[in-house]
Amino acid sequence: MTDERQLLIVEDDEGFARTLKRSFERRGYSVLSADSLESVMAVLADNRPGFAVVDLKLGPQSGLACVQALHAHDPAMLIVVLTGFASIATAVEAIKLGATNYLAKPSNTDDIEAAFARSGGDPAAPLAPRPTSIKTLEWEHIHEVLKDSEFNISEAARRLGMHRRTLARKLAKRQVG
């Protein structure tokens, strides 16, 4: 089935997925749901959604594999990645793999629809007014190492040369969403 207003939500948090689904249905979308790469592939066997919202962290899996599969299935699909673990490294990877946009949680339906509309990019986007702080650089480095260690906190802490509890405290302090 090909439907211009068909949306696939790839989210492992059932409550959040249900809330997004209802919100998009009220806006006239036909909504499909998946919670893993395997379930995405099953949905794509019978459907051709024009839009997708993908959570970056799907339990032990990375949502980036879902982005890659969705883009390979239909390069014209508009894909927005949602994450509570925003970093420049994962944003770049998501865009390289075919995502249209990348949003940090908490994001609502208005934010996601606006991200679908901004799929072309803006060459006139303002440059950052000040250089990145040391804390932000540390945060981005931590998330890059987390991504490289497949979100295994113990392994990431070992690679960063810090105690696992210290890393967990740092992550809890700056949690987005």
Side-chain angles (χ1 to χ4, degrees):
M1 171 180 158
T2 301
D3 185 354
E4 288 182 25
R5 297 285 288 177
Q6 192 172 59
L7 169 77
L8 173 61
I9 296 173
V10 184
E11 172 66 64
D12 60 340
D13 179 340
E14 290 179 31
F16 185 62
R18 195 172 35 253
T19 300
L20 268 182
K21 180 179 181 186
R22 280 189 296 228
S23 184
F24 275 106
E25 285 174 340
R26 282 193 297 268
R27 292 170 185 243
Y29 288 85
S30 167
V31 181
L32 305 165
S33 297
D35 62 1
S36 67
L37 179 58
E38 295 76 23
S39 58
V40 165
M41 299 311 289
V43 168
L44 293 180
D46 299 324
N47 299 280
R48 193 174 176 92
F51 303 89
V53 177
V54 179
D55 187 18
L56 182 64
K57 190 169 184 323
L58 298 168
Q61 295 180 333
S62 169
L64 293 176
C66 294
V67 171
Q68 185 176 35
L70 290 167
H71 184 70
H73 181 73
D74 181 4
M77 185 185 306
L78 299 178
I79 305 167
V80 172
V81 173
L82 287 182
T83 182
F85 302 92
S87 74
I88 290 174
T90 55
V92 169
E93 290 304 316
I95 300 302
K96 281 181 178 178
L97 292 170
T100 305
N101 225 312
Y102 182 95
L103 298 174
K105 287 181 182 177
S107 294
N108 60 30
T109 311
D110 291 333
D111 299 331
I112 296 167
E113 274 197 320
F116 286 141
R118 291 189 315 266
S119 63
D122 180 9
L127 300 176
R130 59 185 165 82
T132 306
S133 71
I134 300 269
K135 285 183 179 183
T136 301
L137 289 173
E138 176 190 40
W139 182 246
E140 289 171 359
H141 179 65
I142 286 171
H143 281 282
E144 185 174 338
V145 171
L146 266 172
K147 180 178 109 357
D148 291 343
S149 62
E150 298 177 352
F151 298 96
N152 180 322
I153 291 183
S154 296
E155 176 61 18
R158 187 189 64 71
R159 290 180 186 184
L160 290 165
M162 68 174 65
H163 194 276
R164 185 188 58 74
R165 278 185 262 167
T166 302
L167 177 57
R169 275 194 300 273
K170 284 181 179 275
L171 292 171
K173 270 187 185 176
R174 296 272 313 259
Q175 189 172 16
V176 182

